[in-house]
């Protein structure tokens, strides 16, 4: 079954950060990431595609930072000294979460900004850039602009997104079974419809020599994209 990419607003993006339904939905998101095995997928991709332990990672659309904390717990023994920058238009990384990174020996900073404003301003090399359940928020043309901006600032970009497939749509409709709230149930279906398949992200990456791209469905619900600058 194939269906075209379709974007609709996600409720979590429109609710104030301190709205109880939004707060509950962010907790649901942790469980959804768990069910999708996003932490394991992201950690494995980062370890297998990075040629050396990085000093710097930037996470786009980092949310409350707990996804990356779970990833950092898997990586810290290999990558002991990392400065991690969260970029999100909501400032919702708690002191507890920052503290969790500190205990692993990682430094953190939060940048509260729209991603396009951030990229327009930030000219430095970002180290590794990651995104989890983030790219699907954008239509193809803004996404092309975003990926073009990233290609100028990183040598490794790893994204784990919703797979746009019938089985993922079915999974998103079953979230009531694990007690997810109305916001999470709505946004999950919308996210799958806005997700990716095939080589859709590779087609939006700038056509420049010197990059190796890998893009594929992983496990039942995830679509992964890796862009690595050839050394
Ligand atoms: C589905 S959540 C994923 C959060 C986190 N990556 C995770 O897996 O838990 C998407 C995040 O992207 C952020 N976001 C959406 N559009 C954005 C934009 N244009 N600029 C910056 N952040 C944005 C939202 O605020 C939200 O925190």
């Amino acid at each position: 079954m194939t269906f075209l990419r379709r974007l609709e607003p996600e409720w979590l993006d429109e609710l104030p950060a301190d709205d109880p339904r939004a707060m509950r939905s962010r907790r649901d998101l942790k469980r959804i990431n768990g069910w999708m095995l996003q932490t394991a997928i992201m950690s494995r991709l980062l370890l297998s595609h990075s040629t050396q332990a990085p000093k710097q990672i930037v996470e786009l659309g980092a949310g409350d930072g707990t996804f990356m904390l779970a990833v950092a717990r898997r990586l810290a023994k290999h990558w002991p000294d990392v400065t991690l920058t969260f970029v999100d238009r909501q400032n919702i990384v708690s002191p507890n979460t920052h503290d969790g990174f500190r205990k692993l020996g990682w430094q953190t900073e939060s940048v509260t900004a729209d991603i396009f404003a951030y990229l327009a301003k930030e000219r430095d090399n970002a180290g590794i850039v990651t995104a989890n359940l983030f790219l699907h928020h954008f239509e193809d043309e803004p996404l092309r602009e975003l990926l073009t901006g990233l290609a100028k600032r990183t040598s490794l970009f790893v994204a784990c997104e919703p797979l746009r497939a019938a089985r993922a749509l079915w999974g998103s409709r079953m979230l009531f079974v694990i007690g997810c709230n109305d916001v999470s149930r709505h946004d999950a279906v919308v996210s799958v419809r806005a997700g990716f398949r095939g080589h859709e992200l590779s087609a939006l990456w700038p056509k420049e020599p010197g990059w190796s791209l890998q893009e594929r469905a992983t496990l039942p619900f995830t679509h992964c994209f890796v862009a690595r600058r050839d050394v």
Side-chain angles (χ1 to χ4, degrees), residues 26 29 33 61-63 88-89 113-115 132-134 137-138:
R26 289 206 182 270
L29 190 54
N33 270 325
D88 200 290
R89 56 183 182 197
D114 181 85
I115 196 62
N132 187 63
L133 306 181
F134 176 64
H137 283 80
F138 304 101

Side-chain angles (χ1 to χ4, degrees), residues 2-218:
T2 54
F3 47 98
L4 293 177
R5 257 197 104 208
R6 191 172 98 202
L7 263 73
E8 289 168 60
E10 294 188 27
W11 291 354
L12 186 57
D13 289 335
E14 298 184 338
L15 288 168
D18 59 354
D19 181 287
R21 283 164 69 226
M23 289 163 68
R24 164 78 189 278
S25 181
R26 289 206 182 270
R27 287 199 297 278
D28 290 344
L29 190 54
K30 273 197 232 179
R31 289 191 296 148
I32 294 168
N33 270 325
W35 278 92
M36 292 174 76
L37 301 176
Q38 297 292 89
T39 309
I41 296 170
M42 177 65 84
S43 309
R44 188 177 49 75
L45 288 173
L46 285 170
L47 280 178
S48 59
H49 287 279
S50 180
T51 48
Q52 57 189 19
K55 288 275 165 233
Q56 224 186 322
I57 301 178
V58 174
E59 200 201 359
L60 311 178
D64 65 8
T66 55
F67 169 75
M68 206 55 192
L69 180 56
V71 172
R73 286 191 173 123
R74 287 169 180 254
L75 298 184
K77 63 176 178 294
H78 310 281
W79 296 356
D81 177 23
V82 175
T83 298
L84 173 65
T85 304
F86 305 112
V87 186
D88 200 290
R89 56 183 182 197
Q90 295 194 317
N91 182 9
I92 48 172
V93 182
S94 72
N96 249 351
T97 302
H98 282 291
D99 208 40
F101 286 98
R102 253 192 307 280
K103 285 184 183 138
L104 296 171
W106 288 27
Q107 294 81 49
T108 50
E109 56 171 0
S110 290
V111 177
T112 307
D114 181 85
I115 196 62
F116 292 97
Y118 171 78
L119 283 178
K121 211 167 122 232
E122 204 53 59
R123 294 276 155 212
D124 293 344
N125 190 312
I128 293 177
V129 178
T130 64
N132 187 63
L133 306 181
F134 176 64
L135 299 182
H136 70 277
H137 283 80
F138 304 101
E139 297 282 3
D140 285 3
E141 278 320 305
L143 204 41
R144 189 191 300 280
E145 186 190 330
L146 175 55
L147 298 182
T148 302
L150 291 180
K152 296 191 180 103
R153 291 171 185 81
T154 186
S155 43
L156 177 62
F157 174 56
V158 180
C160 298
E161 292 295 315
L163 176 69
R164 196 174 76 256
R167 62 180 182 271
L169 196 56
W170 174 85
S172 67
R173 289 186 172 131
M174 296 302 289
L175 288 181
F176 70 92
V177 173
I178 59 167
C180 288
N181 79 353
D182 59 330
V183 176
S184 308
R185 295 197 308 270
H186 172 271
D187 287 357
V189 172
V190 166
S191 298
V192 170
R193 289 189 185 130
F196 302 97
R197 56 186 298 127
H199 293 92
E200 291 172 339
L201 288 166
S202 304
L204 297 171
W205 190 262
K207 310 254 171 310
E208 287 166 9
W211 286 95
S212 300
L213 307 182
Q214 188 188 91
E215 180 169 10
R216 60 170 171 239
T218 305

